[in-house]
Amino acid sequence: MSVSQAYLRMLCRVQVMNPNKMNEQKERPDTPCVAVCSTTFDDVCRGCGRTVTEVADWVFMSSEQKDVVWTRILAQGYPRRNS
């Protein structure tokens, strides 16, 4: 195994075992849905901030794909119960 391969393996282990990320995921609900579903004016739900496609594909997404969506919607101030 080369040094770069060993380094990449170490990085993967650190990411998997990162307690901050694990705690963040444990505090999250399974889905960002807040039962305020509305995509009347565009393709983004006014309650959870996901696109129509993300809502439809949520149950098929990997944890990594869901993390990307969670990061984006949290940065945008979603989920919102009072939209």
Side-chain angles (χ1 to χ4, degrees):
M1 180 179 338
S2 71
V3 174
S4 60
Q5 288 174 329
Y7 181 70
L8 286 174
R9 282 188 172 193
M10 181 205 55
L11 281 178
C12 288
R13 279 191 222 119
V14 168
Q15 289 177 353
V16 168
M17 296 173 16
N18 182 343
N20 293 330
K21 186 172 183 177
M22 289 171 65
N23 287 337
E24 178 182 308
Q25 288 176 341
K26 285 181 184 176
E27 293 173 8
R28 280 188 198 154
D30 292 333
T31 176
C33 181
V34 292
V36 182
C37 306
S38 174
T39 53
T40 304
F41 301 108
D42 56 24
D43 287 339
V44 176
C45 177
R46 297 174 75 189
C48 70
R50 293 178 293 169
T51 65
V52 172
T53 303
E54 290 167 342
V55 172
D57 293 344
W58 191 258
V59 296
F60 305 109
M61 290 177 150
S62 68
S63 294
E64 292 80 15
Q65 291 170 316
K66 290 178 181 180
D67 286 343
V68 169
V69 175
W70 270 109
T71 300
R72 188 193 79 245
I73 64 175
L74 290 172
Q76 294 173 343
Y78 291 97
R80 300 177 187 157
R81 288 199 182 273
N82 301 324
S83 296

